[in-house]
Amino acid sequence: MSLRIDILTLFPEMFAPILGTSIPKRAAEKGLVEYHLTNIRSFATDAHLSVDDRPFGGGPGMVMICQTLFDAVEAVEKQDSRPAQRLLLTPQGQKFDQKMAEELARQPRLLMIAGHYEGFDERIIDGLQPVEVSIGDYVLSGGEIPAMVLIDSIVRLLPGALGAADGAADETFADGLIEHPQYTRPREFRGLSVPDILLSGNHKAIAAWRLEQRKLRTQQRRPDLWQNRSSAMSDDDRNRDRNS
Ligand code: 6GU
């Protein structure tokens, strides 16, 4: 069964170039995923087709109203019997990471709510009980780009999404380490050469060099990742690490 992704947004047109390109496009063509875009505004009921209103208590900006979002979620969920994991994109959410991508890639159906404006009426969160997700500590104008970030990272994890040659298993973050350096032809470019070991044909030595590079680069560039990895490891792992 393929993964169904519903996207509720005021700007469905933003998604076409991303979903229609590269891996997200190929995954849909292969039947691994289906994308369903719904414009929240099509559930507006007043003459102005309102989806937002001024905040009670005053303050700047506008707040997404309950009615259009509740109606949209209920209507979209009825389109398919698979239960949907509801996700709401907001800078107040849990920080998205590779582990969350892996969990979401195992679901039968995801329903992403991308808001705009200053925020959501809190009763949307209380009533619809979505998992609130953020992609990092910076402010974006809306949840559309974050939704696309989630979709890209999730879809490429679906079995068969990547060509046999690609493979997601040994990439950065799969095991808490960033990637080793890569080189391709020519062997020398403007006086800069490729490390000799990569031209040696000794596959065991190359694998060992790459692992060492990944560890060194993780320690130097991402001490936060290195710390997490060390504290997650057993004593056996640590001894193996020290002796390798
Ligand atoms: Cl999910 N939404 C918005 N508006 N800004 C963000 C974000 C989400 N994640 C980081 N910044």
Side-chain angles (χ1 to χ4, degrees):
M1 195 57 146
S2 76
L3 168 64
R4 172 169 174 142
I5 302 181
D6 287 284
I7 305 150
L8 275 51
T9 171
L10 294 169
F11 302 100
E13 68 278 8
M14 285 179 73
F15 290 82
I18 302 299
L19 303 184
T21 306
S22 188
I23 304 282
K25 177 188 186 186
R26 272 200 285 152
E29 286 170 351
K30 289 178 188 168
L32 305 175
V33 62
E34 31 182 301
Y35 309 113
H36 295 264
L37 284 152
T38 299
N39 193 330
I40 297 165
R41 200 176 297 282
S42 65
F43 292 86
T45 51
D46 68 350
H48 296 105
L49 301 183
S50 307
V51 294
D52 60 336
D53 205 340
R54 293 170 16 236
F56 280 127
M62 299 289 273
V63 175
M64 302 275 294
I65 65 172
C66 290
Q67 175 261 317
T68 42
L69 267 176
F70 275 71
D71 287 351
V73 167
E74 285 161 7
V76 162
E77 287 188 352
K78 277 206 205 105
Q79 293 171 6
D80 192 297
S81 63
R82 282 171 280 184
Q85 170 66 257
R86 296 172 181 168
L87 304 168
L88 186 136
L89 285 310
T90 163
Q92 277 81 52
Q94 183 186 337
K95 186 100 62 82
F96 185 65
D97 61 11
Q98 190 66 23
K99 183 165 160 281
M100 205 192 296
E102 284 162 10
E103 287 165 9
L104 295 176
R106 284 186 229 115
Q107 302 292 319
R109 186 174 182 194
L110 303 172
L111 187 156
M112 301 187 181
I113 303 168
H116 244 76
Y117 315 116
E118 289 307 298
F120 300 89
D121 187 311
E122 191 65 18
R123 293 165 295 183
I124 291 165
I125 294 148
D126 295 339
L128 296 176
Q129 296 271 300
V131 173
E132 297 173 80
V133 181
S134 163
I135 62 163
D137 293 336
Y138 39 82
V139 179
L140 300 168
S141 313
E144 286 77 16
I145 292 171
M148 290 185 242
V149 167
L150 266 62
I151 291 167
D152 187 277
S153 63
I154 291 164
V155 162
R156 61 199 305 291
L157 293 173
L158 298 175
L162 302 182
D166 304 308
D170 61 349
E171 286 180 311
T172 293
F173 301 127
D175 57 4
L177 295 175
I178 62 174
E179 291 234 281
H180 53 74
Q182 301 270 26
Y183 299 86
T184 186
R185 292 187 294 177
R187 288 179 176 209
E188 189 169 313
F189 179 76
R190 299 191 181 177
L192 304 170
S193 353
V194 175
D196 285 336
I197 182 119
L198 297 178
L199 311 172
S200 69
N202 182 340
H203 298 296
K204 230 182 131 187
I206 290 169
W209 180 85
R210 284 179 166 165
L211 180 59
E212 192 52 32
Q213 289 293 313
R214 298 182 68 211
K215 290 179 186 174
L216 281 171
R217 285 158 81 104
T218 305
Q219 289 175 63
Q220 287 164 358
R221 299 173 185 209
R222 292 298 306 274
D224 56 324
L225 281 184
W226 184 254
Q227 276 299 322
N228 274 338
R229 184 169 178 275
S230 309
S231 55
M233 276 191 304
S234 66
D235 287 349
D236 278 4
D237 291 337
R238 238 188 305 281
N239 285 329
R240 186 163 30 74
D241 242 28
R242 207 170 283 122
N243 299 329
S244 67

